[in-house]
Amino acid sequence: MGTTITLKVNGKSVTREVQPQTLLVEFIREDLRLTGTHVGCDTAQCGACTVHLNGRAVKSCSTLAIQANGSDVTTIEGLAAEDGTLHPMQAAFRACHGLQCGFCTPGMVMSAVDLVQNHACSTEQQVRDGLDGNICRCTGYHNIVKAVQQGAAAMKA
Ligand code: FES
Ligand code: FES
């Protein structure tokens, strides 16, 4: 027996029936076909599934869809402006080559935006600590940290 949920995703209201065990990441990827949110593990460690729930970063593989009922969800697809202009954090990742294969990137960017908006991130160590829940298997993190620092400066400007 399903439950009907209504929430805003990237500013648009959606109503769907979900099963009690449906994960938010499954709802986003399979029901809404927003496949920029990735699944990179089954242990809630990699952060590839990170989205914003009411303005805070959450791992959508560890959140039930019904927990998002009545909430605002933002995925990587909702970050850029409607005319396609990249969010300052996305632009910084591109400018600093903060990615290689790109698999971790949506989650990294969503965590980075949360870091800037809701946490201290003025030093390199704070950025590294803030991204502790996001794993990148390619880059060695150096350019990601540079990108987050550049993106943070652009967001605050
Ligand atoms: Fe959610 Fe890895 S898929 S933390
Ligand atoms: Fe490949 Fe991060 S760029 S996993």
Side-chain angles (χ1 to χ4, degrees):
M1 179 86 176
T3 301
T4 300
I5 61 170
T6 298
L7 61 160
K8 268 195 184 163
V9 179
N10 299 333
K12 290 186 186 136
S13 181
V14 293
T15 299
R16 293 280 194 289
E17 186 173 316
V18 297
Q19 298 303 309
Q21 73 276 14
T22 301
L23 297 171
L24 182 58
V25 70
E26 295 171 331
F27 177 72
I28 289 168
R29 287 180 56 85
E30 294 165 25
D31 291 44
L32 304 183
R33 310 304 295 168
L34 294 170
T35 54
T37 301
H38 292 160
V39 178
C41 70
D42 57 9
T43 51
Q45 284 181 310
C46 77
C49 62
T50 304
V51 299
H52 291 178
L53 183 63
N54 294 328
R56 297 279 177 164
V58 298
K59 291 182 175 177
S60 59
C61 72
S62 307
T63 308
L64 294 170
I66 54 172
Q67 290 178 284
N69 190 22
S71 300
D72 279 321
V73 172
T74 305
T75 70
I76 192 70
E77 289 89 346
L79 217 51
E82 283 199 359
D83 68 358
T85 303
L86 293 179
H87 184 282
M89 189 60 74
Q90 292 174 303
F93 267 71
R94 182 164 76 176
C96 296
H97 306 289
L99 63 145
Q100 287 185 22
C101 79
F103 190 85
C104 72
T105 311
M108 282 287 181
V109 169
M110 298 309 285
S111 289
V113 171
D114 172 68
L115 184 60
V116 175
Q117 288 176 336
N118 300 311
H119 305 277
C121 63
S122 40
T123 68
E124 178 181 337
Q125 193 57 50
Q126 285 173 331
V127 172
R128 290 183 181 275
D129 290 346
L131 295 180
D132 197 32
N134 292 74
I135 293 172
C136 176
R137 295 172 173 88
C138 310
T139 64
Y141 299 98
H142 184 69
N143 284 1
I144 290 176
V145 173
K146 265 174 50 185
V148 174
Q149 289 182 304
Q150 183 169 307
M155 284 173 65
K156 287 173 184 165

